[in-house]
Amino acid sequence: MVRKNLKKISKSQKIKEFITKYKVPHEYLSTNRKMVSRGVTLGIFIAFIPMPMQMAAILAFMPFFKFNVPLGLAMCWLSNPFTMPPMYYMEYLTGSFFLGIKPEPVEMTLEWFSNNLDNIFIPLYTGTAFYSIVGSSLAFWIVNHFWKGSVHRDRKLHRDDRK
């Protein structure tokens, strides 16, 4: 269903006019399985990294990878101001577990973070690496699995309708 909606949107006359007007390369808005799965994967990978300007990081990958840019940008918004604190705390706890470090009690104040940045930096980014790699790999597999299943189901329905 999502696949059909993406295909329908990509054939919209307004989208075609936008692409022509601003000379956007078609591959950055392509809605095939590879481009969509790459966009979702890259967006989720960047979403787990605690850094400012995540959307700019997505755009910085454009010259190096071909992916659906709007989906990549949308996926990086999984980490928004409401989800960031629990995500980063989870990453910190996971990194502390992997490194065998006892996690410090966290206070949600800028003073605490500036005083303890040295202590939380390595466990935080260890957990970040774990969740970025696992989350983006899982997202890649899920998108491909459901996309292929959707195509297979549509072909089967089409064959059954022809009989």
Side-chain angles (χ1 to χ4, degrees):
M1 185 160 157
V2 172
R3 181 179 63 85
K4 287 183 179 179
N5 287 338
L6 283 173
K7 293 284 186 184
K8 209 179 289 182
I9 290 169
S10 69
K11 293 178 182 174
S12 165
Q13 189 61 33
K14 287 183 180 181
I15 298 287
K16 288 179 182 177
E17 290 171 5
F18 177 82
I19 290 171
T20 306
K21 181 178 178 181
Y22 293 105
K23 297 180 176 118
V24 177
H26 290 279
E27 61 266 8
Y28 293 129
L29 299 171
S30 181
T31 55
N32 60 43
R33 179 179 55 89
K34 288 183 180 180
M35 298 301 229
V36 168
S37 60
R38 288 177 190 166
V40 169
T41 301
L42 185 61
I44 288 179
F45 185 85
I46 297 292
F48 278 106
I49 300 174
M51 65 181 210
M53 298 179 20
Q54 291 174 328
M55 291 175 70
I58 295 285
L59 296 176
F61 279 100
M62 283 176 60
F64 307 108
F65 299 108
K66 301 284 188 226
F67 61 95
N68 187 300
V69 176
L71 274 176
L73 292 171
M75 289 295 111
C76 83
W77 272 96
L78 289 175
S79 63
N80 57 56
F82 297 110
T83 61
M84 280 181 186
M87 279 176 60
Y88 298 159
Y89 185 65
M90 174 184 63
E91 291 172 357
Y92 169 65
L93 291 178
T94 304
S96 297
F97 173 75
F98 285 152
L99 296 173
I101 298 171
K102 184 176 184 255
E104 297 182 20
V106 176
E107 296 176 19
M108 290 296 178
T109 62
L110 287 176
E111 180 183 338
W112 184 89
F113 281 106
S114 62
N115 292 338
N116 294 302
L117 187 61
D118 295 339
N119 300 334
I120 65 171
F121 185 81
I122 292 176
L124 174 65
Y125 277 92
T126 302
T128 296
F130 173 75
Y131 284 110
S132 287
I133 292 168
V134 170
S136 61
S137 299
L138 186 63
F140 183 82
W141 182 83
I142 288 171
V143 168
N144 279 302
H145 176 74
F146 284 113
W147 194 287
K148 288 177 183 177
S150 174
V151 169
H152 179 72
R153 192 172 37 261
D154 287 349
R155 285 183 181 167
K156 185 177 179 188
L157 286 173
H158 181 70
R159 274 191 305 243
D160 292 345
D161 287 344
R162 288 179 51 194
K163 290 181 182 179

